[in-house]
Every structure is written in structure tokens, then in C-alpha cells.
Amino acid sequence: MPELPEVETMVRGLRPALVGRTVPRIELHDPFLLQGCTAEEFSRRGRDIKVADVSRRGKWVVIGLVGHEGLIVIQPRMTGGFWLIEPPRLEHIRLTFRLAEPDASVWFCDARRLGKIIWFDDRAQAEAAFARSHGPDALEITRAELAVRLKRTARSIKPTLMDQKVVAGIGNIYADEILFASRIHPTRESSRLTAAELDRLHAAIGPVLATAIAAEGSSFDAGYRTVLGLEGGFLAVNSMYGRAGEPCKGCGSPVEKTKIPGLIGRPTYLCPRCQPVRPSRGKRSTG
């Protein structure tokens, strides 16, 4: 599933292709993904528009329009992504932005049709929808905000980090990397993290995600590619995910692959030495 680094990579790839460009029409190929208006309304609204900006909110791509209060929001979800070159599987195209330049197009594809395409009438409506679905963005959350949100739950820290209503943008791969960087076992109870653990956790989130963005995300199967059809490079430089049995980059112990409660079907990678189940004694407070 595209996480914050993958969606940020999509947004950065889309900006030069869309911002300031005139779009004579938007072609909706699969109304099943559409919310907020009918297919006919979407087709009518999508004629002769100009893109003002392309941004990200959590794992959502937000497209603002010149002279419009409305926003087009696209949720890639499990298998969605954008292409600036003709996609290899044309049957997976769900939406096409036809640009004013001859033969220029931007495609949104989604193999499993799990994504969403939403036309919000105004920015306030979009902000309300985001607030219902997301906590603070992982690149913007403060230590104080993180402490308050973790204090509220007795869940293990890994599924808590992956809860988009707690903090927006972190998924399975990056949760493992963040917890390794902060030397926290993924089953530690969120509300019982020590002040030192919370300091390390908050300090790890930004650098891990920044490294992944610089690598243009993670491709572990055919589900994610950049807008130019390239694989993301993070899994060539990461520390935990997919490295079971390899030496830990911190201590040399074998990386373990396991499963933890609350994450059915999703593997967890950790170093049992760098991330002990029982942390060293210290102040048990998230204050």
C-alpha cells in the first residue's frame, strides 16, 4: 500500500506535469471509484480547468483548481498510482487528465479498484473529511501531540503508529524502520513508553520518512511505481523490512521476522537485541 513517502513521491512527480497547466477534460473511466458527485457532474466540472496546486494530506493526493473552491482528492489506497508515461496495463486506467499539449496526458491507475476519487465542493468540506479520517501528518506532528495521542491507548506501539487517526502517513514498512531507529520493540504498550523512548520515537519519524522520500519510496512488488514507471529505492538502503536473517545494521544480530497482534497478515521485522521487549529502567512517563 502506498504510504506517505510513496504519495509524496507521486505529488512531487505530478507538480511539474500539472501545476499551471490547462486541462481541457478529465476522463473518468471507472465511476465505481467516484464519490461526491455523479459521473456526469464530474465530466462537466472537469472541462477546461487549470490546476493551481498539487499537494498531499496524509496518504491523499489533493489537486486544487484555479478559480474553483472545489478540490479533486484521490486516495491511491492499496494499488493506486499515477503515470506520466503510458501505463503498461491500460485496463487498469481509472482516470485520465487530458492536457492542452498534443498527446499529453496524466493517468491514474488502480489494479484492484480500491482507491477513491472525490470531488469536494470546497476546501472546508475537504478539510472536514480529512479531520475525520486523519490525525496530524507524520512529518508535522510535534512531540507533545504524539505524547498525548499515545497516552490514550494501551495498544502496541506498532499498530498505533499505523493508525491513520493517530498519526497520518505511516504504514507497515516505515513503522518497522522507525521503531528500529528509536530502539523500541513493536509490542511495547503505547501509553507506557518512557520519556526517553518518546523522545527517540519522535526524533526518528522525520529522518526515516525523509530518507524514504529521497529514495522515491518502496517497491516490494509490482503494486507501486513512480510516475515515470520506476521502482522506489528505499528497500535497497533500509534496515529492517524484508531483511529476516540478515545481520542487524546496529549490532550484527540476525533480524527477526514475526507477527504481532493487531496486524493480521502483515509481517514485522525487528532486532531483538536493539529492540528489547523490556526496555532499560527509566522514567515511565510520556510527559
Side-chain angles (χ1 to χ4, degrees):
M1 176 181 292
E3 303 176 20
L4 186 154
E6 289 76 44
V7 179
E8 181 67 22
T9 299
M10 293 178 195
V11 165
R12 294 184 183 191
L14 288 173
R15 281 179 183 143
L18 285 177
V19 174
R21 300 291 184 89
T22 297
V23 183
R25 69 185 187 278
I26 306 177
E27 299 172 1
L28 179 68
H29 307 290
D30 191 349
F32 177 78
L33 278 64
L34 182 63
Q35 295 182 348
C37 64
T38 66
E40 292 74 18
E41 289 172 325
F42 189 90
S43 178
R44 176 177 54 80
R45 295 177 183 181
R47 289 189 176 277
D48 297 318
I49 61 174
K50 188 173 183 179
V51 176
D53 55 79
V54 181
S55 59
R56 178 188 58 79
R57 293 301 302 269
K59 298 181 182 181
W60 296 2
V61 175
V62 182
I63 300 173
L65 308 175
V66 174
H68 287 255
E69 284 297 316
L71 294 170
I72 301 171
V73 172
I74 299 176
Q75 302 175 26
R77 293 197 174 179
M78 186 70 74
T79 58
F82 292 87
W83 294 76
L84 300 186
I85 59 174
E86 186 173 284
R89 299 289 296 273
L90 300 184
E91 68 271 23
H92 293 163
I93 298 174
R94 310 300 173 190
L95 187 72
T96 303
F97 294 84
R98 298 294 185 190
L99 306 183
E101 293 82 353
D103 300 322
S105 297
V106 175
W107 294 271
F108 173 70
C109 298
D110 185 356
R112 296 178 61 183
R113 304 175 73 214
L114 298 174
K116 297 296 179 184
I117 301 166
I118 311 170
W119 192 304
F120 288 103
D121 291 331
D122 55 57
R123 291 180 182 267
Q125 187 183 57
E127 288 294 332
F130 184 84
R132 288 193 299 269
S133 303
H134 295 76
D137 191 90
L139 289 177
E140 299 174 359
I141 192 168
T142 66
R143 182 197 182 282
E145 288 175 318
L146 185 62
V148 169
R149 289 171 175 273
L150 297 186
K151 190 74 172 179
R152 295 171 181 166
T153 179
R155 288 182 299 172
S156 298
I157 184 60
K158 183 177 178 181
T160 301
L161 284 178
M162 293 171 59
D163 184 342
Q164 299 305 294
K165 292 185 178 181
V166 175
V167 54
I170 299 173
N172 196 48
I173 291 174
Y174 303 111
D176 281 350
E177 300 301 316
I178 289 166
L179 291 172
F180 169 69
S182 53
R183 306 192 303 282
I184 298 173
H185 195 278
T187 62
R188 290 274 288 122
E189 185 178 316
S190 299
S191 62
R192 297 176 66 86
L193 293 183
T194 67
E197 286 175 316
L198 184 60
D199 287 341
R200 297 198 304 266
L201 179 64
H202 182 258
I205 292 173
V208 167
L209 295 178
T211 299
I213 292 169
E216 298 193 307
S218 301
S219 296
F220 60 87
D221 59 21
Y224 166 72
R225 293 292 184 271
T226 71
V227 295
L228 295 178
L230 304 176
E231 293 187 3
F234 181 69
L235 293 183
V237 299
N238 74 312
S239 297
M240 285 288 115
Y241 191 88
R243 297 189 179 275
E246 297 182 19
C248 166
K249 294 182 179 181
C251 69
S253 299
V255 172
E256 288 188 2
K257 177 182 180 181
T258 186
K259 293 184 179 180
I260 66 172
L263 295 174
I264 298 174
R266 296 184 184 183
T268 289
Y269 296 84
L270 62 96
C271 173
R273 185 174 179 182
C274 293
Q275 299 166 264
V277 176
R278 295 181 181 179
S280 58
R281 298 180 65 182
K283 184 179 179 183
R284 191 181 66 81
S285 169
T286 56

